[in-house]
Amino acid sequence: MKILVINSGSSSLKYQLIDMQTESVLAKGVCERIGIANSNFVYKAKGHTLERQIDMPDHKVAVKLVLDTLTDKNIGVIASMDEIDGVGHRVVASGEAFKKPTLVTPEAMELMEEIKDLAPLHNPAAIVGVNACLAQMPHTPMVLVFDTGFHFTMPDYAYMYAVDYSHYEKYKIRRYGAHGTSHKFVAEEAAKYLGKDIEELKIITCHLGNGSSITAVKGGKCIDTSMGFTPLAGVPMGTRSGDIDFAAAEYIARKENMDISEMLTYLNKKCGMLGVSGVSSDFRDLTAAADSGNDRARLALDMFAYGVKKYIGAYAAVLNGVDAIVFTAGIGENDERIRSASLKDLDYLGIKLDADKNANYARGTIAELQTDDSAVKILVIPTNEELVIARETVKEAKLA
Ligand code: ADP
């Protein structure tokens, strides 16, 4: 069985074709700059890498190009589109309209239209992506898989904001979280790796990438997560402020003559590591700058690690103990210094990182990095959000 996973952005479309028997990637790539001059198409399969500037005026043309390439006689990996058993679409925001992966139907797409403004940059793109695929594959089952889905098990006192309750009722203002497919994947992989029943485990998963979020997972279910109504909340990130006193934001807006929408762009795109350091949002650049004496780069990195540590402490309290801490995503998998700094001085919680194992972690593998006398396991697990989307597609479309 083969599942196509689609992740549509406003001007991009990432895709992976996954063989579900082996859970391996048959082909993957990205269409970039859709609807903009110099569109770019990337395709990787069977040792072939194709990168070409091809005009892609809209997502429909992009999807057709993906399908034509997947079925190409020379570089394709399937003989015809009929070999694609289902399509899984990543969707950023669900509101309370969708609490689990959902089959694409006219009714589901109407609901998607209704919640478009919850993620105005991302959700409209997902709708465009679904419609583009439906135009090419009208009879193939498709499933919407939401970044927020894993977090619906949070108790009400964890997801509610202390605002006028009628605003929750009217607008569904609450914590939704993000990166749900990643947190779910690494928590389940951790249980498998440790040879334990996930029902018995208390895990803190740290997805640290361009966007970062931390989740408390008890018995395989999310009970709290650091992102909020949108991905703006939680630890400071590449370009996002993370948690901030709203009154401070209002004060900056007043002084700098920004309206609310400009303020939101500022908090999402110009703050975080980039804003504090003035150097970059990329941790490789920040580390290089800090090492050559840039004190604001040092400060940004310290703030990030401190933010991660505070959430680990909070979630150890929320979980009443912790069996394993898992690091994943670009920073979690690659940045040994951030792993080390965010776990510093947590030995009173039984969390002890082995410096050598941390420094010698082999990228792309699952490894444990704690000392022999650490009560808590410290794992690095490469994430695989596409595989979760593909598995959910099989389940929801009842393809298995
Ligand atoms: P996204 O949220 O876009 O999926 P990723 O999970 O790919 O992001 O993470 C990207 C970030 O990971 C980069 O911005 C960079 O800060 C960090 N990163 C990637 N490789 C390394 C590395 N070798 N060392 C330190 N940080 C890295």
Side-chain angles (χ1 to χ4, degrees):
M1 183 189 311
K2 298 181 184 77
I3 301 293
L4 182 63
V5 176
I6 297 286
N7 181 355
S8 302
S10 52
S11 65
S12 70
L13 184 142
K14 292 189 195 137
Y15 63 92
Q16 274 196 14
L17 184 67
I18 300 180
D19 181 334
M20 296 311 288
Q21 265 75 45
T22 54
E23 295 200 326
S24 58
V25 178
L26 295 170
K28 66 176 181 178
V30 61
C31 306
E32 294 164 313
R33 301 179 59 84
I34 300 170
I36 309 174
N38 304 321
S39 317
N40 196 41
F41 177 68
V42 181
Y43 173 84
K44 292 180 188 170
K46 291 194 296 192
H48 295 288
T49 298
L50 179 80
E51 180 156 5
R52 265 208 228 135
Q53 295 215 332
I54 302 177
D55 204 25
M56 287 180 272
D58 59 34
H59 284 67
K60 274 188 195 154
V61 176
V63 170
K64 179 151 191 333
L65 184 58
V66 170
L67 294 173
D68 286 349
T69 315
L70 288 171
T71 53
D72 183 88
K73 268 200 211 83
N74 299 315
I75 59 167
V77 289
I78 49 177
S80 89
M81 264 158 47
D82 298 343
E83 286 186 46
I84 300 175
D85 298 286
V87 183
H89 293 270
R90 176 197 176 215
V91 187
V92 169
S94 62
E96 287 194 336
F98 299 95
K99 293 194 169 167
K100 60 182 205 51
T102 302
L103 202 62
V104 169
T105 58
E107 296 75 36
M109 293 314 287
E110 257 172 50
L111 258 187
M112 283 284 288
E113 288 287 341
E114 282 174 28
I115 60 160
K116 229 163 43 174
D117 65 350
L118 282 177
L121 290 178
H122 294 100
N123 271 29
I127 296 174
V128 169
V130 171
N131 288 332
C133 288
L134 282 174
Q136 302 293 331
M137 299 176 273
H139 305 297
T140 308
M142 301 198 188
V143 173
L144 307 166
V145 182
F146 299 87
D147 275 13
T148 44
F150 182 57
H151 302 306
F152 277 103
T153 43
M154 279 187 281
D156 53 3
Y157 52 81
Y159 69 67
M160 282 300 292
Y161 289 126
V163 295
D164 183 328
Y165 194 79
S166 69
H167 294 147
Y168 164 65
E169 292 177 312
K170 260 201 269 182
Y171 308 123
K172 303 295 174 205
I173 299 296
R174 49 162 286 180
R175 180 187 307 283
Y176 289 107
H179 299 137
T181 46
S182 178
H183 290 292
K184 178 180 161 68
F185 180 77
V186 298
E188 289 173 358
E189 287 295 300
K192 253 192 257 168
Y193 176 83
L194 296 170
K196 294 256 169 71
D197 183 352
I198 198 163
E199 292 287 332
E200 285 158 21
L201 288 175
K202 297 168 184 175
I203 306 174
I204 298 173
T205 50
C206 306
H207 176 109
L208 311 180
N210 261 327
S212 294
S213 65
I214 302 167
T215 296
V217 184
K218 193 173 198 171
K221 296 195 165 61
C222 166
I223 58 166
D224 204 351
T225 192
S226 62
M227 282 179 166
F229 180 67
T230 75
L232 181 55
V235 293
M237 306 173 214
T239 60
R240 295 187 190 118
S241 64
D243 297 334
I244 184 172
D245 181 343
F246 179 73
E250 188 272 344
Y251 192 83
I252 297 171
R254 215 161 1 111
K255 293 288 183 190
E256 297 278 328
N257 288 321
M258 290 185 220
D259 62 22
I260 286 214
S261 121
E262 287 166 336
M263 189 68 217
L264 263 183
T265 304
Y266 164 82
L267 291 173
N268 272 299
K269 306 255 184 218
K270 297 191 177 150
C271 290
M273 302 295 100
L274 175 66
V276 173
S277 70
V279 172
S280 170
S281 61
D282 192 298
F283 280 58
R284 289 161 288 200
D285 301 339
L286 292 165
T287 304
D291 285 349
S292 56
N294 185 316
D295 198 50
R296 277 172 50 190
R298 187 272 314 152
L299 171 64
L301 292 168
D302 283 353
M303 287 171 70
F304 181 81
Y306 183 66
V308 175
K309 178 178 176 162
K310 280 211 290 191
Y311 272 100
I312 290 174
Y315 289 167
V318 158
L319 289 163
N320 186 20
V322 49
D323 299 307
I325 296 174
V326 184
F327 288 94
T328 194
I331 299 157
E333 291 168 36
N334 293 304
D335 197 327
E336 65 186 79
R337 283 159 57 161
I338 289 294
R339 288 195 299 261
S340 163
S342 45
L343 297 178
K344 195 163 164 258
D345 299 333
L346 288 176
D347 40 328
Y348 69 99
L349 287 176
I351 300 168
K352 295 189 197 170
L353 184 73
D354 183 303
D356 285 339
K357 286 185 195 161
N358 184 43
N360 295 319
Y361 164 71
R363 284 176 192 170
T365 61
I366 299 186
E368 47 190 304
L369 308 181
Q370 75 282 354
T371 59
D372 292 343
D373 64 341
S374 175
V376 178
K377 304 280 186 193
I378 301 165
L379 304 175
V380 183
I381 301 181
T383 195
N384 194 340
E385 295 170 271
E386 291 78 11
L387 182 56
V388 175
I389 294 172
R391 285 178 184 163
E392 299 283 10
T393 301
V394 172
K395 205 157 95 186
E396 191 54 37
K398 300 192 172 58
L399 295 169

